[in-house]
Amino acid sequence: MTKNKLEITDTTTGEKIKEAARKVFTKKGYAATRTRDIAEEAGINLALLNYYFRSKEKLFDIVMRENMQQLLIGLRSVLYNETTTLLHKIKAIVSNYINLLRKHPDLPLFILSEIKANPDKFAMNIGARTLLLKSHFFKQVKETGKGKINPIQIIINIIGLTVFPFIASPLLKHVGDLNQKEFDALMKERKKMIPIWINGMLKVK
Amino acid sequence: MTKNKLEITDTTTGEKIKEAARKVFTKKGYAATRTRDIAEEAGINLALLNYYFRSKEKLFDIVMRENMQQLLIGLRSVLYNETTTLLHKIKAIVSNYINLLRKHPDLPLFILSEIKANPDKFAMNIGARTLLLKSHFFKQVKETGKGKINPIQIIINIIGLTVFPFIASPLLKHVGDLNQKEFDALMKERKKMIPIWINGMLKVK
DNA sequence: ACCTGTTTTAATCAATTGATTAAATTATTT
DNA sequence: AAATAATTTAATCAATTGATTAAAACAGGT
C-alpha cells in the first residue's frame, strides 16, 4: 500500500503527525511544544516524527507555511475583483475572516507570536506585500479616502477590528464577563458592523 | 550597605535580575526564555537568580504582575472622572496607551500570549472586570450608544484599534513596506484619528 | 582583628528534550 | 514462499535546562 487506497480521510502516518503538530504548535507555540506531546497527540512513536519530518523545526515550517497559506486562500480573488464595490469587498473580507477565525481562533496569536520570535524567517514573503499594494482593493481604498486618510490606516483598521477580538479573547471574555456563546454572538454582530464602521472612517472629514 | 545608600538608580542585584528578566521574558516569552539568558543579560551568576527569586516561575510572576500593573496605572483616574466628556476620556486613553506602547511595543503580544498559555493563572483578577464595568466611562459609552450598539463592541474597538498595530507590527511593517520611522508616524496619527473614528461609531444609525 | 551574617561563585545534579540507532514488524515485489 | 523494501518500536544518546550545594568573598558590628 505505497500509494492511495484512496485513504478514507487521508490518514497517513505523516498526515496524522502533521495534524497533531498543527494542533499542539498552534495551541502552545513552538518553544513550549515538546515533540513528545505531538507524538502522543498523534498516537505514534516519537521516532516516527523524525522519520517523516527530519526535525521539529522542519515539521513546524511545514505547518506554519500551510497555516499562512490558509489565511491567504481566497483573498486574491476578492482583492483583485474589478467588478465589485469597495464596500462589497470589505464585507467579503471581514465575513470570510470572522468565519475562519471562529473555526481557528488561535491562528492569529500563534502566527504573530512566531513572526515576532523569528522575523527573518518570514521576511522572504515579498508576495504578500504586492498582493495587497497592487490590488484593485487597495486602489479603491486610496481613492475613496482621497488624500484625507492614509490607506494603510484603513487596512490596519479592517484587520485590527476583525482579528483583535480573537487575539484578546481570553482577556475580553474575562473583563467583559462573556461565555463562549456570548463571545460568538459578538463576533457574528461584528460581521455586520465592521464594514459600516470602516465606511464611516472613509467618509471622515 | 544593607539598606539604601539611596541606590543611584536602585541597581540592587535583585533589581538588575528583575529588569533583565523583564527584557528577556518580554522579548522571547516564558517558554523560550532560558534562566541563563537572564543571568547573562543581568551580568550575574546564574545561582543568584534562584537565590533572590527562588525559581524562574516566581520571577516571571513578579515581572508579569508589574507589567500588567503598568497597563492599569492611571487608567482608573480617567475611567472614573465624572467631570469629563466621553470623547475627552477616549482621547486620554488612546493617547496614553499609544505613548506607552511606543516605549514598550512588545508588551501586548507578550501579555496576551502568556494569558492564553495559562488562563487560570490570570483568572483571579476580578478587579479588572469591575474597574471597567462599574466606571463612569462605561456608563457614558452605554448611554451614548443608547441601545443601538453593545458597549462592549465599542470597548473592543478602542482597545483593538489602539493595540493591534503594535501586536502586528512586524507583519504591518513588512506588507506595508514601512520602516520604524514611518510606523511611528502612523501611530502618532492614530492618536488623533482613533477618537474620531470611535466617535463615528457611536453615532452610527 | 575577630566574629557573624549576607552575597557571590564554580561545580554539579537530576530531569527533560530533540534526535538517533538497531532491531522488530509489516508490506510489497519477485 | 522468499527476498526486499518500508515502516514501526524500544532503547539510548548527548545537549540543554532549572535548580542546588558547598565553599569563597564580602560586609558590618563588636
Side-chain angles (χ1 to χ4, degrees):
Chain A
M1 201 241 281
T2 38
K3 285 275 156 63
N4 62 3
K5 186 65 116 336
L6 250 189
E7 312 277 350
I8 316 290
T9 36
D10 191 12
T11 260
T12 324
T13 301
E15 204 62 29
K16 275 199 303 187
I17 295 172
K18 207 172 66 181
E19 289 316 308
R22 190 185 318 282
K23 185 169 173 181
V24 181
F25 277 140
T26 306
K27 179 164 184 215
K28 318 221 287 181
Y30 179 81
T33 292
R34 309 289 155 232
T35 52
R36 283 165 176 83
D37 299 340
I38 297 175
E40 190 181 9
E41 175 72 35
I44 53 98
N45 186 290
L46 171 61
L48 289 179
L49 190 151
N50 297 92
Y51 177 76
Y52 281 98
F53 296 95
R54 309 291 303 169
S55 73
K56 177 189 178 187
E57 194 184 359
K58 294 236 173 60
L59 174 55
F60 172 82
D61 289 344
I62 291 173
V63 166
M64 180 54 94
R65 181 176 301 270
E66 290 186 1
N67 278 352
M68 300 187 70
Q69 205 78 19
Q70 189 180 19
L71 289 181
L72 296 179
I73 279 178
L75 194 57
R76 163 162 259 123
S77 66
V78 175
L79 296 187
Y80 284 79
N81 188 334
E82 307 210 350
T83 73
T84 58
T85 66
L86 176 57
L87 184 59
H88 182 100
K89 287 191 182 65
I90 295 173
K91 281 180 184 171
I93 294 168
V94 170
S95 200
N96 288 343
Y97 271 113
I98 289 186
N99 287 341
L100 178 65
L101 293 179
R102 283 172 69 174
K103 277 180 236 146
H104 306 285
D106 40 14
L107 217 45
L109 187 55
F110 170 57
I111 291 177
L112 292 173
S113 293
E114 299 301 338
I115 289 181
K116 184 196 151 205
N118 219 331
D120 329 323
K121 199 169 202 165
F122 303 88
M124 38 84 196
N125 213 344
I126 200 79
R129 183 174 16 231
T130 54
L131 177 68
L132 171 67
L133 266 35
K134 303 288 184 192
S135 70
H136 184 241
F137 167 74
F138 194 70
K139 287 190 188 74
Q140 285 177 304
V141 174
K142 264 190 289 189
E143 71 187 32
T144 306
K146 209 55 187 169
K148 296 286 190 183
I149 181 69
N150 186 334
I152 293 288
Q153 298 281 23
I154 298 295
I155 307 295
I156 294 177
N157 295 349
I158 295 174
I159 307 177
L161 289 175
T162 304
V163 169
F164 177 77
F166 293 92
I167 294 178
S169 73
L171 190 67
L172 293 177
K173 284 176 186 167
H174 181 253
V175 308
D177 202 12
L178 307 165
N179 57 34
Q180 182 59 43
K181 199 183 173 80
E182 294 166 323
F183 181 81
D184 257 22
L186 280 181
M187 295 309 108
K188 191 156 167 263
E189 187 183 18
R190 291 178 79 80
K191 284 200 271 188
K192 271 182 278 178
M193 296 310 296
I194 292 175
I196 296 173
W197 294 329
I198 297 290
N199 206 42
M201 295 174 186
L202 287 166
K203 286 178 177 145
V204 156
K205 281 191 177 173
Chain B
M1 199 240 282
T2 37
K3 285 275 157 61
N4 62 2
K5 186 67 113 341
L6 249 188
E7 312 277 349
I8 317 289
T9 37
D10 191 13
T11 262
T12 324
T13 301
E15 204 63 28
K16 277 198 303 186
I17 295 172
K18 206 171 66 181
E19 289 316 308
R22 191 186 317 282
K23 185 168 173 182
V24 181
F25 278 139
T26 306
K27 179 163 183 216
K28 319 220 289 181
Y30 180 81
T33 293
R34 309 289 156 232
T35 52
R36 282 165 176 82
D37 298 340
I38 297 175
E40 191 181 10
E41 175 72 35
I44 52 99
N45 186 289
L46 171 61
L48 288 179
L49 189 151
N50 297 92
Y51 178 76
Y52 281 97
F53 296 95
R54 308 291 303 168
S55 73
K56 177 189 177 187
E57 195 184 358
K58 292 237 173 61
L59 174 55
F60 171 82
D61 289 344
I62 290 172
V63 166
M64 179 55 94
R65 182 176 300 269
E66 289 186 3
N67 278 351
M68 300 187 70
Q69 205 77 19
Q70 188 180 19
L71 288 182
L72 295 179
I73 279 179
L75 194 56
R76 162 162 258 123
S77 66
V78 176
L79 296 187
Y80 284 79
N81 189 334
E82 307 209 352
T83 73
T84 58
T85 66
L86 176 57
L87 184 60
H88 182 101
K89 288 190 182 65
I90 295 173
K91 281 180 183 169
I93 294 168
V94 170
S95 201
N96 287 344
Y97 272 113
I98 290 186
N99 287 342
L100 178 65
L101 293 178
R102 283 171 70 175
K103 278 182 235 145
H104 307 286
D106 39 14
L107 217 44
L109 187 55
F110 170 57
I111 291 177
L112 292 173
S113 293
E114 300 300 339
I115 289 180
K116 183 196 152 206
N118 219 331
D120 330 321
K121 200 168 201 165
F122 302 88
M124 37 85 198
N125 212 343
I126 200 77
R129 181 171 21 228
T130 53
L131 178 68
L132 171 66
L133 265 35
K134 302 289 184 191
S135 70
H136 185 241
F137 168 73
F138 194 69
K139 288 190 187 73
Q140 286 176 303
V141 174
K142 266 191 288 188
E143 69 187 33
T144 308
K146 210 53 185 171
K148 298 284 190 184
I149 182 69
N150 186 335
I152 293 289
Q153 298 281 24
I154 297 295
I155 306 295
I156 294 176
N157 295 350
I158 295 174
I159 307 178
L161 290 175
T162 304
V163 170
F164 178 77
F166 293 92
I167 294 178
S169 74
L171 190 67
L172 293 176
K173 285 175 186 167
H174 181 253
V175 308
D177 202 12
L178 308 165
N179 57 35
Q180 182 58 43
K181 200 184 173 81
E182 294 166 323
F183 181 82
D184 256 23
L186 280 182
M187 295 308 107
K188 190 154 167 265
E189 187 183 18
R190 289 179 79 80
K191 283 200 272 188
K192 269 181 279 177
M193 296 309 296
I194 293 175
I196 297 173
W197 294 328
I198 297 290
N199 206 41
M201 295 174 186
L202 286 166
K203 287 179 176 144
V204 155
K205 282 188 176 174

